Amino acid sequence: MAEPHPGGAVAAALEPSGLVPRGWLAPEAGAEPLLVDGKPAKAICLIGHAGGGFWPVFSAWWREHPRVSDPLDSWSKAVIEPVAAEAGGQAVFPSDRPWHPFQAWAMKAEALRSSPLGLLIHPEFGLWHGYRGAILFAETALGDRVSSKSAMAGQAFVHPCDVCSDKPCLSACPVGAFSPDGFAVSNCRSYLRTKDGQQGCMTSGCLAREACPVGRSHRYSPAQLQFHMTSYS
């Protein structure tokens, strides 16, 4: 009899935190992330959020740990590491070396693509989603659901940006920081230090991100938007 797939247990263990499994994938041969024992991982479960459902849980934890550095990263580890251990896997995080290709994993697991802002855009959640970590597994025999694709990745859907002719995300930035040549980081950060930047993007979130019409109902709360902007600036 095949071993039960750990996906249900992972999802159930994450539920109180507001985080969710964001997709499973099998890494390509030769590109597997390494486990602590030096062996290649054979299956990856991405962990993240869709919308801001995790924010109240994180906020409550942060109030109890006001002196912790990098609070969101620290909270993510406090949540995901025990779940990974219980599931027999190993947790890895975007904030830690060696840097793992989380965006490439996400594009494979959920068939996502990059938006003109460089953020991965989801057909339902738009730009209001993220990845907080991943769980690596040594075994491939985890059931049919670890097929290198999530449920969404097997479906054909229209990429939101392909049917967006106006591209309001590009025109909304006050300093034109986004262009086909890339993201002008210095222009953005210089603007954020101005009075207009403090009253605009720093208060209500990145104006370019706000301009995207996809997934508006999943927009982050003002407190979460200000947290991310402060961390970035």
Side-chain angles (χ1 to χ4, degrees):
M1 180 180 295
E3 291 294 323
H5 191 283
V10 169
L14 289 171
E15 187 174 3
S17 71
L19 298 180
V20 294
R22 288 293 308 273
W24 290 80
L25 67 145
E28 295 184 8
E32 304 98 329
L34 298 180
L35 300 166
V36 290
D37 60 6
K39 295 181 180 179
K42 298 301 183 182
I44 302 170
C45 176
L46 290 170
I47 306 297
H49 59 91
F54 77 96
W55 187 255
V57 182
F58 162 68
S59 298
W61 179 91
W62 191 14
R63 287 193 293 271
E64 296 176 356
H65 303 80
R67 302 182 190 279
V68 71
S69 60
D70 301 317
L72 186 51
D73 290 337
S74 297
W75 174 79
S76 298
K77 292 175 182 180
V79 170
I80 297 172
E81 285 175 344
V83 174
E86 181 66 23
Q90 174 185 320
V92 295
F93 301 92
S95 58
D96 291 353
R97 294 177 184 271
W99 311 126
H100 292 292
F102 272 82
Q103 282 210 335
W105 289 349
M107 287 189 283
K108 185 175 182 181
E110 294 193 285
L112 304 185
R113 282 170 44 193
S114 182
S115 69
L117 303 186
L119 301 171
L120 295 180
I121 188 165
H122 189 282
E124 178 181 354
F125 304 108
L127 303 177
W128 308 110
H129 67 104
Y131 300 89
R132 300 307 317 158
I135 303 176
L136 311 181
F137 292 92
E139 302 295 330
T140 55
L142 295 175
D144 294 338
R145 285 169 57 193
V146 183
S147 62
S148 82
K149 294 182 181 294
S150 71
M152 179 184 298
Q155 302 174 8
F157 59 87
V158 177
H159 190 273
C161 299
D162 288 347
V163 294
C164 181
S165 58
D166 293 337
K167 300 290 188 293
C169 60
L170 294 179
S171 58
C173 178
V175 291
F178 301 97
S179 73
D181 296 327
F183 176 39
V185 178
S186 60
N187 290 5
C188 175
R189 285 185 166 160
S190 295
Y191 173 75
L192 294 179
R193 290 191 288 267
T194 67
K195 181 179 178 180
D196 287 344
Q198 290 292 314
Q199 294 178 346
C201 293
M202 290 298 293
T203 299
S204 59
C206 170
L207 295 178
R209 190 177 195 175
E210 290 282 321
C212 177
V214 184
R216 288 190 186 278
S217 62
H218 302 285
R219 180 183 180 274
Y220 300 158
S221 68
Q224 184 176 351
L225 289 169
Q226 290 174 22
F227 172 87
H228 290 306
M229 292 304 301
T230 300
S231 300
Y232 166 73
S233 61

